[in-house]
Amino acid sequence: MTASTRVPQEERTRLMRARLLDATVELLVERGFAGTSTTLVSQRAGVSRGAQLHHFPTKNDLVVAAVAHVTEARGAALEQAAARIADGAGRTRRVLGMLADHVTSPVFTAALELWVAARTDPPLLAAVGPLEQRIGRELHQRTVELLHADESRAGVRELLQATLDLVRGLGLAATLSDDTRRRDRILDEWAEVLDRELALTQSHEPTESHEHQETA
Amino acid sequence: MTASTRVPQEERTRLMRARLLDATVELLVERGFAGTSTTLVSQRAGVSRGAQLHHFPTKNDLVVAAVAHVTEARGAALEQAAARIADGAGRTRRVLGMLADHVTSPVFTAALELWVAARTDPPLLAAVGPLEQRIGRELHQRTVELLHADESRAGVRELLQATLDLVRGLGLAATLSDDTRRRDRILDEWAEVLDRELALTQSHEPTESHEHQETA
């Protein structure tokens, strides 16, 4: 029965890459971008320096792949969570709670580290910019679907973009202090406002023109 | 007439400290927290290492003092700008524009660098935490006054907190890409929502109790 206990090469490579990427995210969360080094990552992942450099030649390769990797894993988890959100009264608040869980998770923290480091690191920015745009677009699309919102109506797209920027602002605030109660009260209020405003856009025709071409 | 051309010692010290703090903010914006060193700061400010170390013994002393310094300077500028905002139609949008100018300014960028660095640097966090709380409270109070908002009414405090978190989220997004048009459209919509919602809270009594003790 040796064949069944042996892990194929391809699978071993996949697992090793996953260990490297998970270790990178852990280090970004614990020590920040500046405190994360490829040496620390290979140590924590239990992967030789040679193998690590083969798969991810530079620190930038590693951190961008790591954030993309956990974002995909998180995306799958979000999809499952989203499917379980009940319809009816309070749905908007539950959707906002899900978004808030996302921006207070290690995935958001790791992405924030990359985001801020990329501002003053042009090669990193070239890789992080498109990744952040993709993440932003996906989160926006998911929010549209979860709230059953009709973006062809005036103001709806901007209202949802504002919601996501608000949630990111709350995520940023949460990195300095644990302000769960403040965040909950703000989201309670915002859920009420959002329900009223989305209902408004459905009860009458738009009175002014808005542009909707751009992506999030 | 030597007395009138000689700069008193106290004034020279004040100017030297200001040069050090301005150079620190410039470097935080250009190179980020990790790329800012006390050596670079003293070089750029044209101040000897000895004098710099005398006034600010550590990098953390320097960066925290620098952000406090520019925040105060910015506070005075904001106060003047605020006094010039015209009353009447469009006032809410103009107030939001002023807040957006703030979070897309170098002062916010420098503060963001400190903020993110402090997350993984406990001594820095001990100094940055209280500073950020003070800045947050002052900005909140200024917004209340500018919008002539009545925070004793249910939901108003949370709505203004949401506004400031939204604006911070927009500031964060602006560090990665110049999205002035997207930001303007979101603020146009938010101003309408804010006007409608603030009018709502004034047209009927609150139907549920909220807590208002906590500070921003």
Side-chain angles (χ1 to χ4, degrees):
Chain A
M1 302 287 284
T2 45
S4 69
T5 54
R6 247 188 349 169
V7 182
Q9 177 60 34
E10 199 179 311
E11 176 65 3
R12 270 185 292 160
T13 299
R14 200 188 62 75
L15 289 171
M16 189 190 66
R17 287 176 63 98
R19 280 210 310 283
L20 284 168
L21 300 178
D22 288 338
T24 304
V25 170
E26 282 175 29
L27 284 164
L28 283 172
V29 172
E30 287 170 28
R31 307 195 181 200
F33 182 83
T36 299
S37 69
T38 54
T39 312
L40 279 173
V41 168
S42 58
Q43 279 170 4
R44 177 166 304 202
V47 170
S48 76
R49 284 287 282 161
Q52 184 241 291
L53 289 169
H54 174 72
H55 289 284
F56 305 101
T58 69
K59 175 175 168 179
N60 280 3
D61 294 329
L62 197 51
V63 293
V64 172
V67 169
H69 167 76
V70 290
T71 300
E72 266 165 44
R74 178 92 195 168
L78 269 178
E79 203 149 343
Q80 294 183 331
R84 285 193 300 268
I85 296 180
D87 269 324
R91 178 173 175 92
T92 299
R93 181 61 182 87
R94 288 191 290 275
V95 171
L96 293 181
M98 204 191 79
L99 293 172
D101 286 346
H102 173 62
V103 297
T104 52
S105 74
V107 176
F108 179 83
T109 306
L112 180 64
E113 286 288 338
L114 235 61
W115 202 331
V116 171
R119 192 184 64 77
T120 51
D121 182 338
L124 184 58
L125 182 59
V128 169
L131 174 63
E132 283 297 333
Q133 283 191 334
R134 184 163 63 80
I135 294 175
R137 266 198 304 270
E138 286 174 7
L139 199 60
H140 185 98
Q141 193 48 43
R142 193 181 298 276
T143 307
V144 170
E145 288 160 14
L146 285 173
L147 294 176
H148 311 310
D150 178 359
E151 290 204 313
S152 69
R153 294 181 181 267
V156 170
R157 180 168 183 78
E158 288 74 18
L159 213 50
L160 297 191
Q161 286 180 320
T163 299
L164 290 170
D165 280 300
L166 161 64
V167 166
R168 278 185 209 109
L170 292 172
L172 180 62
T175 63
L176 266 203
S177 58
D178 178 32
D179 56 353
T180 311
R181 284 188 57 231
R182 186 186 88 95
R183 189 166 57 246
D184 281 346
R185 285 205 311 274
I186 292 174
L187 292 177
D188 288 346
E189 179 64 24
W190 185 244
E192 286 181 31
V193 172
L194 205 49
D195 280 339
R196 264 196 298 274
E197 291 290 330
L198 290 175
L200 263 184
T201 66
Q202 274 149 28
S203 63
H204 60 70
E205 279 305 292
T207 53
E208 52 186 299
S209 74
H210 284 240
E211 293 171 32
H212 290 95
Q213 302 94 310
E214 257 175 58
T215 55
Chain B
M1 302 287 285
T2 45
S4 70
T5 55
R6 251 193 344 178
V7 181
Q9 177 60 35
E10 198 179 309
E11 176 64 4
R12 270 185 294 161
T13 299
R14 199 187 62 75
L15 288 170
M16 188 190 67
R17 287 175 63 99
R19 278 209 311 283
L20 284 168
L21 300 178
D22 288 338
T24 304
V25 170
E26 282 175 29
L27 284 164
L28 283 172
V29 171
E30 288 170 27
R31 307 195 181 199
F33 182 84
T36 299
S37 69
T38 54
T39 312
L40 280 174
V41 169
S42 57
Q43 278 170 3
R44 178 167 303 204
V47 170
S48 75
R49 283 287 283 162
Q52 182 242 292
L53 288 169
H54 173 72
H55 289 283
F56 304 102
T58 69
K59 175 175 168 179
N60 280 2
D61 294 329
L62 197 51
V63 293
V64 172
V67 169
H69 167 75
V70 290
T71 299
E72 267 166 44
R74 178 91 195 169
L78 269 179
E79 203 149 342
Q80 294 183 330
R84 285 194 300 269
I85 295 180
D87 270 325
R91 178 174 175 90
T92 300
R93 181 62 182 85
R94 288 191 289 276
V95 171
L96 293 181
M98 203 192 79
L99 294 173
D101 286 345
H102 173 63
V103 297
T104 52
S105 74
V107 176
F108 180 82
T109 306
L112 179 65
E113 285 288 339
L114 235 62
W115 200 331
V116 171
R119 193 184 64 78
T120 51
D121 182 339
L124 184 58
L125 183 59
V128 170
L131 174 63
E132 282 297 333
Q133 282 191 336
R134 184 163 63 79
I135 294 175
R137 265 197 305 270
E138 285 174 6
L139 200 61
H140 185 98
Q141 193 49 42
R142 194 181 298 277
T143 308
V144 171
E145 289 160 14
L146 286 172
L147 294 176
H148 312 309
D150 178 359
E151 290 203 315
S152 69
R153 294 180 182 269
V156 171
R157 180 169 182 76
E158 288 74 18
L159 210 50
L160 297 190
Q161 286 180 320
T163 299
L164 289 169
D165 280 300
L166 161 65
V167 166
R168 277 185 211 109
L170 291 173
L172 179 62
T175 63
L176 266 203
S177 58
D178 178 32
D179 56 353
T180 310
R181 285 188 57 232
R182 185 186 89 96
R183 187 165 60 246
D184 281 346
R185 286 204 310 273
I186 292 173
L187 292 176
D188 288 346
E189 180 64 25
W190 191 270
E192 287 180 31
V193 171
L194 211 47
D195 279 339
R196 264 196 297 272
E197 291 292 328
L198 289 176
L200 263 184
T201 65
Q202 273 150 29
S203 63
H204 60 71
E205 281 305 294
T207 53
E208 51 187 300
S209 75
H210 284 239
E211 293 172 31
H212 290 95
Q213 302 95 305
E214 257 176 56
T215 54

